[in-house]
Amino acid sequence: MSSYPRWKYFLVLLVLLTSFVYSLPNLYQSSPAIEISLNDNVQIQDIIKKLDQPEDRVIYKDKKVILTFNDSVSQLKAYDTLRTENSKYNYSLTSFIDLPDWLKHINAYPMYLGLDLKGGVHFLLQVDRENIIQNLLREIESDVKTILIENKHRYNSFSRLEDNIEVNFNSDKPINLIIEQINESLPDLSINQKSNNGITSLNIAPSVDLIKNDIKSALAKNLTILRSRVDELGVSQPILQKQGQDRIIIQLPGLQDSTRAKGILGSTATLEFRLTKGTQDDWYNSKITGIPTVNSSSLYNTRDGTPILLSRKVIVGGADIKGANSGFDSDTNSPAVFVNLSDYGASRMLETTNKNIGNRMAVIFVEKNKSEVINVAVIREAFSKRFQITGLNIDEAQDLSILLRSGALSAPMEIVEERTVGPSLGELNILAGKNSMYFGLLLVGLFMLIYYRLFGVIANIALVANIIIIIAMLSIFQATLTLSGIAGIVLTVGMAVDANVLIFERVREEILNGSSPNASIYSGYKKAFSTISDANITTLIAAIALLTIGTGAVKGFAITLVIGILSSMFTSIVGTRALVSIIYEKRNTRSLSI
């Protein structure tokens, strides 16, 4: 047997030591925690007293304070308490691990745990395709009318249907020229022509590509807005990613308040500011008749059901709102939302309030299927860029400020799937995953030990090293371990010994053919290499395809499978070869324990 290169011994040793060090953080116990960004030490001391938090569970770190808890129930209770406080700092649910400083200095941190292991909420949101089509039709209607008017083409009727626009002309009109002019200005339209009884109808609809591009654009914008909203919810390590052409997956580990999260993530809410119209008698008469009795007005209801007439003209809308924070009114101590307007919005607001001192202005909460007047106040003095809105409870003020800060969604999204995983269920999943891995490892180890004796011991050492390398790689790249990821690790436990089985059987064949033990070892590893490479490369191709195309559980499985394949090839071919060389290379061996 030729001498095994020394640099390979050092390579194996380096990989094993590095993997062991970077997998160490996963042995430390994590505690549920709340991370608070500090602005004022006095404020945080007040919060600590209010939460009755022991000093040994308060950790000061840079400009942050971390409050640790014994269990998730205590953590969520403290989180709810923080939400009711008028706090000027940010806080988020997280977990804390008290790692030694030397591990932090080399950036050795534990891997993240996914939703199914840590607990939390999972949402699958889908873009409202019909809403996008209707918005496109609305734009097309306006553009086509402009084209016809500019080119002086008179039409008999113009109507917007469910999925297209129908324009009717007399048959003597230059229809081909009209179609050419529309296509020249709006190339992404599908135009169908039909004639009947001297009337020619053009059915105009957005093309399939135009709808797809609009959905793609809306999805990209919504992903940015939803990411901003998730950050406001105070969740550490959230997962947001696109799925398919029109869906977004959102996973919020550690969060258990799914109702609030669902309301914020799926909401298209914004605000409108309008002046009131008429008198209270006009309002009640309008409610009785169901028709506004004052010109240029619309009928709304306040929160207590009182009718009110508002101007159809919007002073300022959601697009003009550039910032919002929740707090308390300094005079009444009631919850309030402090709003900042853009320069254009501030100019509009100043001009309107300056002309209407003594009149009333209403704030309308506008959502997909409802419009509700949340506040009506008399304009006492002119104001512009910054003002406050009252008439809300604490939760409504906080949620509304989040929505206004992040902006309205580009297109409405429906929650098509919702799943909540409790912390206790996550712990059970971790325990079940660990047990399955230990059980698989034990059975494989026993088989290899009984069937291959000393070589089986070497294969088992390589198997343990393989698992340590996988954990280290997940930790180094801060990957998220899910339940499907644990399944990938369990699968690699079986796959990792496949290469050793091929090598050991080759060694046995060489011994039966009369080769010396050292020559059999050399030939066995050399001849099995191509077979092992082919088998693992084909599996690796499939795993990379899953990693690239798959999402959610499939991607979690693929991550550990890819790492497992690469690490098992290293430990089986290079690692075991180094051990075998250490045991047999310098000995005049007459037989092998295989």
Side-chain angles (χ1 to χ4, degrees):
M1 180 172 66
S2 61
S3 179
Y4 197 59
R6 289 186 177 275
W7 68 267
K8 289 189 178 182
Y9 289 118
F10 288 111
L11 175 64
V12 172
L13 187 61
L14 178 64
V15 170
L16 290 179
L17 283 176
T18 304
S19 299
F20 178 75
V21 169
Y22 278 92
S23 61
L24 271 180
N26 296 282
L27 298 178
Y28 289 84
Q29 187 69 33
S30 71
S31 303
I34 296 177
E35 185 178 272
I36 303 174
S37 299
L38 281 179
N39 280 336
D40 190 345
N41 285 330
V42 175
Q43 288 181 344
I44 195 62
Q45 290 301 329
D46 292 341
I47 289 296
I48 291 171
K49 289 179 181 178
K50 189 171 184 65
L51 296 176
D52 196 22
Q53 189 76 353
E55 280 298 328
D56 61 341
R57 291 219 164 246
V58 181
I59 300 161
Y60 294 88
K61 180 183 176 185
D62 299 328
K63 292 185 178 181
K64 296 178 180 178
V65 168
I66 299 173
L67 310 179
T68 61
F69 303 88
N70 290 322
D71 50 53
S72 298
V73 176
S74 303
Q75 178 200 33
L76 295 174
K77 185 179 178 181
Y79 180 76
D80 290 336
T81 303
L82 282 174
R83 284 183 56 202
T84 63
E85 293 294 319
N86 181 23
S87 304
K88 295 183 180 179
Y89 39 70
N90 297 321
Y91 51 90
S92 61
L93 292 170
T94 185
S95 56
F96 177 75
I97 300 177
D98 190 14
L99 293 176
D101 290 336
W102 68 273
L103 283 175
K104 295 177 184 177
H105 288 155
I106 60 172
N107 289 321
Y109 294 98
M111 56 189 166
Y112 293 148
L113 295 181
L115 188 74
D116 44 9
L117 301 180
K118 191 175 181 180
V121 292
H122 163 99
F123 296 108
L124 179 63
L125 288 79
Q126 184 171 22
V127 171
D128 188 343
R129 184 185 180 89
E130 290 303 316
N131 180 274
I132 286 180
I133 292 174
Q134 290 305 312
N135 286 338
L136 285 173
L137 289 175
R138 200 174 294 116
E139 294 173 9
I140 292 168
E141 179 183 11
S142 175
D143 292 341
V144 170
K145 279 184 177 179
T146 301
I147 292 169
L148 295 177
I149 292 170
E150 287 178 350
N151 292 280
K152 299 179 180 178
H153 297 305
R154 187 181 294 276
Y155 51 84
N156 294 346
S157 62
F158 198 111
S159 56
R160 176 153 50 95
L161 306 178
E162 186 175 342
D163 56 359
N164 63 68
I165 292 168
E166 185 176 271
V167 190
N168 293 322
F169 301 89
N170 290 329
S171 294
D172 58 352
K173 298 292 181 184
I175 303 300
N176 290 334
L177 177 62
I178 293 172
I179 294 174
E180 184 180 337
Q181 289 171 341
I182 293 173
N183 280 329
E184 185 177 345
S185 299
L186 306 169
D188 293 325
L189 297 183
S190 172
I191 303 176
N192 294 319
Q193 174 185 346
K194 61 180 181 179
S195 299
N196 189 22
N197 297 328
I199 300 295
T200 299
S201 299
L202 294 182
N203 289 325
I204 306 172
S207 66
V208 174
D209 288 339
L210 180 60
I211 294 173
K212 283 183 178 179
N213 290 335
D214 218 55
I215 290 175
K216 184 178 179 180
S217 174
L219 200 68
K221 292 177 182 176
N222 283 358
L223 190 62
T224 302
I225 293 169
L226 288 171
R227 200 177 299 278
S228 175
R229 292 184 180 183
V230 166
D231 291 342
E232 296 281 358
L233 280 172
V235 178
S236 63
Q237 305 160 16
I239 297 173
L240 287 90
Q241 58 189 27
K242 290 190 288 185
Q243 184 184 63
Q245 295 181 344
D246 60 353
R247 291 183 172 187
I248 293 175
I249 288 176
I250 300 177
Q251 293 185 351
L252 308 175
L255 188 68
Q256 299 300 318
D257 189 358
S258 62
T259 303
R260 178 172 180 251
K262 182 166 60 175
I264 289 175
L265 295 175
S267 177
T268 57
T270 186
L271 292 181
E272 290 180 355
F273 297 85
R274 304 190 191 196
L275 293 172
T276 61
K277 286 274 192 175
T279 64
Q280 289 190 357
D281 290 338
D282 295 325
W283 302 350
Y284 283 100
N285 290 334
S286 299
K287 183 177 183 179
I288 292 170
T289 60
I291 301 172
T293 57
V294 179
N295 290 334
S296 300
S297 66
S298 300
L299 181 63
Y300 289 86
N301 288 314
T302 59
R303 294 196 146 189
D304 59 4
T306 303
I308 187 171
L309 290 176
L310 301 179
S311 171
R312 291 180 183 174
K313 185 179 180 181
V314 178
I315 304 168
V316 172
D320 300 308
I321 298 173
K322 295 304 177 186
N325 290 290
S326 61
F328 291 87
D329 180 71
S330 57
D331 296 327
T332 63
N333 203 35
S334 60
V337 177
F338 300 93
V339 178
N340 290 315
L341 298 179
S342 64
D343 291 339
Y344 175 76
S347 175
R348 290 279 305 273
M349 184 64 78
L350 179 62
E351 180 184 353
T352 303
T353 54
N354 195 37
K355 293 179 180 178
N356 291 276
I357 293 175
N359 295 331
R360 281 176 286 193
M361 183 174 66
V363 182
I364 309 171
F365 179 81
V366 182
E367 208 171 4
K368 181 181 177 184
N369 297 318
K370 73 171 184 177
S371 296
E372 182 183 37
V373 177
I374 60 174
N375 179 273
V376 180
V378 176
I379 302 173
R380 302 294 183 189
E381 59 183 2
F383 56 89
S384 59
K385 194 162 189 175
R386 181 172 171 81
F387 54 91
Q388 67 182 38
I389 302 167
T390 56
L392 304 162
N393 61 39
I394 292 175
D395 288 341
E396 288 172 334
Q398 290 178 339
D399 292 350
L400 181 59
S401 66
I402 289 173
L403 295 174
L404 294 179
R405 278 197 297 272
S406 61
L409 294 176
S410 177
M413 300 198 73
E414 302 288 341
I415 296 176
V416 295
E417 181 185 339
E418 176 187 350
R419 191 166 67 245
T420 302
V421 180
S424 58
L425 182 58
E427 291 176 4
L428 290 174
N429 287 339
I430 293 175
L431 183 61
K434 284 182 178 178
N435 289 339
S436 62
M437 185 176 67
Y438 295 154
F439 189 63
L441 189 62
L442 176 64
L443 291 180
V444 171
L446 283 174
F447 172 81
M448 295 300 291
L449 184 62
I450 294 170
Y451 200 72
Y452 292 109
R453 293 179 287 179
L454 180 57
F455 275 73
V457 173
I458 294 171
N460 290 340
I461 293 171
L463 191 58
V464 174
N466 179 52
I467 294 173
I468 293 173
I469 292 172
I470 294 173
I471 294 172
M473 292 298 290
L474 291 172
S475 301
I476 290 171
F477 292 107
Q478 289 291 275
T480 301
L481 180 67
T482 62
L483 193 60
S484 57
I486 293 178
I489 295 175
V490 175
L491 178 61
T492 57
V493 167
M495 293 176 59
V497 295
D498 284 351
N500 289 129
V501 168
L502 289 172
I503 293 169
F504 297 165
E505 289 300 323
R506 278 286 189 181
V507 172
R508 279 181 170 178
E509 287 178 7
E510 293 298 321
I511 291 173
L512 292 176
N513 290 334
S515 300
S516 67
N518 285 339
S520 298
I521 292 171
Y522 176 78
S523 298
Y525 274 92
K526 185 177 180 180
K527 292 180 179 179
F529 178 77
S530 60
T531 306
I532 294 168
S533 299
D534 291 344
N536 281 279
I537 287 171
T538 52
T539 309
L540 186 63
I541 291 170
I544 291 173
L546 288 176
L547 183 62
T548 306
I549 302 171
T551 58
V554 174
K555 193 167 187 175
F557 174 78
I559 288 172
T560 53
L561 185 58
V562 168
I563 296 173
I565 291 170
L566 295 174
S567 64
S568 66
M569 286 185 68
F570 175 80
T571 55
S572 299
I573 298 172
V574 182
T576 59
R577 181 72 169 85
L579 279 176
V580 170
S581 294
I582 290 172
I583 296 171
Y584 290 106
E585 185 175 306
K586 301 298 182 181
R587 292 169 56 187
N588 188 16
T589 308
R590 295 184 178 182
S591 63
L592 297 176
S593 179
I594 187 170

